[in-house]
Amino acid sequence: MAKTTPIEFLNQVKTETKKVVWPTRRETVMTGVMVVVMTTILAIFFLAVDSFFETLVRTLLSFAK
């Protein structure tokens, strides 16, 4: 395996970086909004599931008294 010098490595990194297609500002904002929306939906879902199980457990424990 051939060894790459640090200068060659940096040149390869620069070449590969030029091939990257960077997202537009609008794409970045839309992706951020979707992350916030999905996170909120999941938080509400898990709150509902947690509340359901809390009620279930409290009901079952009330029968034990």
Side-chain angles (χ1 to χ4, degrees):
M1 184 195 272
K3 290 202 174 196
T4 304
T5 66
I7 300 297
E8 287 177 55
F9 175 74
L10 291 174
N11 287 334
Q12 290 173 359
V13 169
K14 189 188 306 183
T15 303
E16 290 299 318
T17 304
K18 288 179 183 177
K19 295 178 186 178
V20 173
V21 178
W22 298 102
T24 64
R25 181 176 198 82
R26 185 175 192 283
E27 290 172 331
T28 304
V29 169
M30 291 303 293
T31 302
V33 168
M34 286 305 298
V35 167
V36 170
V37 168
M38 293 305 294
T39 303
T40 302
I41 290 170
L42 281 170
I44 292 168
F45 170 75
F46 285 120
L47 174 66
V49 170
D50 186 51
S51 297
F52 169 75
F53 282 117
E54 178 187 12
T55 304
L56 180 66
V57 169
R58 285 184 188 266
T59 304
L60 291 173
L61 288 176
S62 71
F63 292 134
K65 290 183 181 182

